[in-house]
Amino acid sequence: MKAGLFAYEAAGDPKAQPLLFLHGIGGAARAWRNQLSAFGNRFRAMAWDMPGYGGSAPLPNVSIAALADALQEFLQQTGATKPILVGHSIGGMIVQQWLTRHKRDAHAVVLAQTSPAFGKADGDWQKSFIAARLGPLVRGETMASLAPSLVKELVGDDPDADGMALARDCMANVPAASYRAMMLALIGFDQRGALKDISVPTLFLSGSKDNNAPAPMMAKTATYVPGSRYVELAGVGHLANLERPDAFNEALGGFLNSVVAPSP
């Protein structure tokens, strides 16, 4: 489907409560198809292609703030009011940034395997993180050639085979320019000071084997958001909804049941 400059996938009654999924740097709208199927019977479940991905137009200048503005534009163009936002990785960063200007416009949020900060470009961890991911492209690799190894590095124990095939396909089809731009957009992101101001029901969802958004960091982050919930999925790496879709859906479903009135 299209909404202005954005492509997205959707399931469910257009008049139902909006439930929007935001993918990570190596993802796409189709990475959420299991969740669209699982929750489309109760919600207007949608997943966007982030700007520069799939059928969505790229931004002229990429930053987390610009992506948050794009999210607001997408919500307006799809008529999604009071959405529940599920942001994975950079998608969770976009949700955090969006909340700083739209504190009460969401019904609830899920911050899945994400962080409130990335840090400065001159940090040792930050420099090695960026170099490890962009270096191969500089040396002539392609996203298609890198996809198998990139995905393998991200996952935990015994991931779902179909989910891994989808993860590799999504990663392989990310435009290299978008991948670079999104990686560089992480630099300087820091919303730690705004955590205390999140005033909607919030679930933090982590994986115990996630090296990008480590579970202990996410557990600590959750303590700064008043009344938030924290769920850790055992044995899961950074791609929970693809590695263990049933466990992810169970955790998400439990949270949704607590924040949305039962259907009549």
Side-chain angles (χ1 to χ4, degrees):
M1 296 182 177
K2 290 285 288 187
L5 298 174
F6 305 98
Y8 68 102
E9 298 193 5
D13 185 346
K15 296 179 181 178
Q17 169 84 52
L19 173 64
L20 175 61
F21 296 91
L22 297 93
H23 63 81
I25 287 178
R30 64 184 181 279
W32 297 105
R33 284 178 179 168
N34 181 289
Q35 285 69 44
L36 297 184
S37 176
F39 296 100
N41 63 338
R42 184 178 172 195
F43 298 91
R44 176 56 169 175
M46 300 185 291
W48 78 343
D49 277 323
M50 189 162 54
Y53 286 64
S56 293
L59 298 174
N61 296 291
V62 180
S63 67
I64 302 298
L67 290 163
D69 289 341
L71 170 58
Q72 178 62 15
E73 184 179 353
F74 176 81
L75 292 171
Q76 291 171 341
Q77 291 185 357
T78 55
T81 58
K82 280 287 184 180
I84 299 167
L85 300 174
V86 182
H88 171 253
S89 198
I90 198 174
M93 294 178 174
I94 295 169
V95 170
Q96 292 175 69
Q97 184 78 44
W98 180 86
L99 283 171
T100 64
R101 295 182 61 182
H102 305 277
K103 284 182 170 57
R104 296 177 180 82
D105 290 349
H107 184 89
V109 299
V110 178
L111 300 176
Q113 303 180 284
T114 188
S115 171
F118 184 78
K120 298 179 181 178
D122 57 359
D124 289 341
W125 183 87
Q126 288 82 2
K127 285 192 292 186
S128 63
F129 181 90
I130 295 294
R133 283 151 182 81
L134 297 188
L137 292 176
V138 174
R139 294 190 292 271
E141 293 269 14
T142 66
M143 290 304 298
S145 66
L146 289 170
S149 60
L150 287 174
V151 170
K152 186 176 181 180
E153 291 174 6
L154 291 172
V155 301
D157 302 333
D158 302 318
D160 178 78
D162 290 339
M164 292 304 90
L166 180 53
R168 289 189 293 270
D169 180 65
C170 289
M171 185 75 78
N173 284 283
V174 175
S178 296
Y179 188 80
R180 289 190 188 96
M182 295 300 167
M183 282 292 176
L184 296 175
L186 298 174
I187 296 172
F189 175 76
D190 192 342
Q191 288 297 322
R192 288 174 293 185
L195 292 169
K196 66 182 185 306
D197 299 321
I198 296 178
S199 56
V200 297
T202 302
L203 170 66
F204 286 86
L205 185 58
S206 75
S208 69
K209 295 291 185 74
D210 188 347
N211 294 321
N212 285 5
M217 177 276 294
M218 288 206 67
K220 182 177 180 181
T221 301
T223 67
Y224 294 103
V225 177
S228 70
R229 299 183 182 199
Y230 173 75
V231 174
E232 180 178 319
L233 301 178
V236 173
H238 191 60
L239 305 177
N241 71 297
L242 293 167
E243 294 178 56
R244 303 278 184 85
D246 290 345
F248 182 93
N249 293 350
E250 181 179 0
L252 176 57
F255 176 69
L256 294 175
N257 289 339
S258 72
V259 298
V260 178
S263 300

